Amino acid sequence: MELAEIGIKFALVAIIFGISLVVAMYSTYAERKIAAFFQDRVGPNRAGPFGILQPLADGAKMFLKEEIIPTNATPFLFIVGPSLAILTACIASAVIPWGQNVVIAGRTIPLQVTDINVGILYIFGVVSLGVYGVMIGGWASNNKYSLLGAIRAASQNISYEISMGLSIIALLLVTGTLSLGEIAQQQHGWHWNVIYQPVGFLLFLICSFAETNRTPFDLPECETELVGGYHTEYSSMKLGFYLFAEYINMFISSAVMVTLYWGSYNYPGMDYMNELLGATWGPLFGFAVMFTKVLLFIFFFMWVRWTIPRFRYDQLMDLGWKVLIPLAIANIVVTGIWITFFS
Amino acid sequence: MESLSNKKKVLEVKPLNFWERAYLPAIAKGLSITMGHFFKKPVTIQYPEQKREFSENYRGLHSLKRDENGKERCTACGLCALSCPAEAITMTAAERQKGEEHLYREEKYAAVYEINMLRCIFCGLCEEACPKEAIYLDGDIVQSDYLRKDFIYGKDKLVEAPLNQ
């Protein structure tokens, strides 16, 4: 690989990293603003016009707060927990295709950091690593509420990863590949996978709510029962990392859902637009389309959060094991029959 | 046995049907309700910039009134302090000296007049007790402050501004 290519890859990594951080930062602002609108309020509006400097103020506050490590906590693991959470949240974006190849100054640049042929498995691996951050943090705090939150997070993620994986198998029967880049290409125009896999998408959606610990499934940080859940003992920027990781996870899982089911960067009439805009701006427009879809999904995450109350723990387990897994298996069977006889 | 009022209503406990057990229609309904609120105008009154309008008979901060010539009406009779259920009012009376006729209406006036705003319950009994129509609760709300002593309002804060200024 020549030097220029390496430079371009690094630039791409930096840009994606920056975008996911900025999106996560402004997700916190959007969450508060959207929550306010759903509740007929105004929301944060004091820091800058419409309060758009609020995330910066929050960040400054987080950095300036006192660092507290409890006496009975395990200091090393206590710091490893949030670091691992934010690390795993950040590296999942490496395999997501953000657009078609862009031609800039005669050089073709893929808008995907790396198109490994087991992209989906990579995402699964990273997502299941994510729960270690929560587990280690909750365990190292040496606090019963933190521990309970961590145990809940672990058992919830294990339960929902199964049905998530099963819902993906049905998708793989349709696409025939594990590479996210190829899956994105296959959905050219309006051939989005959600048309062929509506049940699979629904399962994947529910499971990604559970995996990101978002509201109907936010039992690991259930305030009414567990004080703060796994991050009860955390303060300052270590707490900030946990909260930040949740928003990055939300961004990444939105991007994964868009890539797998909602046509990635594809949109009806994209061939015409690509001819019209040329080889540079056409794919970038596709990126804008994908980004809009991702933002809509983030909005959906927040919309659900401010609508649906949290599950009871046994209901959560019932839903995971008794409803979603049988449904996912039925989905696989039906998809398999359909593939065998009709295509 | 028939009930006396005949208002008893026997409710049937019906098992949930398939769609009710699937929750998804209910969730969609809930989402549409919250989306309805999303586009509603917020009910917030942004306080320091906007203020809620007070009603005509709102009882706010006290003011000690002057008469039509700009003289203080209060004669330090002490009826307001006596009527005050929260014992928030204290005063010290003084005799009007020669040359002070343009300041005080009667021969006696309040040299010190203090209301503790932390004790005051804004009931308006001082207003009703006053024979000289000298005190009215027609002001704004009491401003916040840091120290308890700053909530004891003296004449500097209570007396109306002089007429020709």
Side-chain angles (χ1 to χ4, degrees), chain A residues 37-38 40 45-46 303 307, chain B residues 31 34 37 42-43 46 49:
Chain A
F37 291 153
F38 278 131
D40 299 341
N45 65 347
R46 296 285 140 166
W303 185 11
T307 303
Chain B
L31 287 174
T34 43
H37 279 270
V43 293
Q46 306 208 15
E49 291 95 37

Side-chain angles (χ1 to χ4, degrees), chain B residues 105-125:
Chain B
R105 197 164 67 161
E106 321 244 343
E107 287 101 59
K108 198 174 130 212
Y109 70 97
V112 178
Y113 191 100
E114 287 178 341
I115 302 178
N116 187 339
M117 290 302 169
L118 293 177
R119 297 199 67 133
C120 179
I121 57 171
F122 300 94
C123 60
L125 285 183

Side-chain angles (χ1 to χ4, degrees), chain B residues 43-62:
Chain B
V43 293
T44 312
I45 294 173
Q46 306 208 15
Y47 168 62
E49 291 95 37
Q50 297 175 338
K51 281 186 179 174
R52 190 187 294 277
E53 270 191 40
F54 293 147
S55 69
E56 285 285 304
N57 54 355
Y58 179 83
R59 294 194 294 267
L61 200 58
H62 315 66

Side-chain angles (χ1 to χ4, degrees), chain A residues 34-72:
Chain A
I34 286 170
F37 291 153
F38 278 131
Q39 296 167 353
D40 299 341
R41 292 186 286 116
V42 179
N45 65 347
R46 296 285 140 166
F50 306 107
I52 52 169
L53 300 179
Q54 190 66 42
L56 299 178
D58 288 340
K61 184 203 79 173
M62 283 290 187
F63 272 113
L64 295 175
K65 286 241 171 174
E66 190 187 352
E67 288 269 350
I68 297 170
I69 296 182
T71 324
N72 290 325

Side-chain angles (χ1 to χ4, degrees), chain A residues 74-88 129-141 230 234 238-239 241-242 245:
Chain A
T74 318
F76 177 67
L77 291 181
F78 195 73
I79 295 166
V80 164
S83 318
L84 200 59
I86 200 145
L87 178 79
T88 52
L129 269 182
V131 75
Y132 281 97
V134 174
M135 268 299 275
I136 290 173
W139 171 256
S141 300
Y230 59 89
Y234 279 90
K238 293 203 287 298
L239 173 68
F241 271 11
Y242 270 131

Side-chain angles (χ1 to χ4, degrees), chain A residues 125-169:
Chain A
V126 169
V127 164
S128 49
L129 269 182
V131 75
Y132 281 97
V134 174
M135 268 299 275
I136 290 173
W139 171 256
S141 300
N142 203 7
N143 172 321
K144 58 188 165 203
Y145 297 114
S146 301
L147 184 59
L148 277 173
I151 290 171
R152 281 185 176 191
S155 55
Q156 174 180 325
N157 277 31
I158 289 168
S159 316
Y160 280 80
E161 239 158 52
I162 297 170
S163 36
M164 197 179 207
L166 291 175
S167 71
I168 284 294
I169 288 175

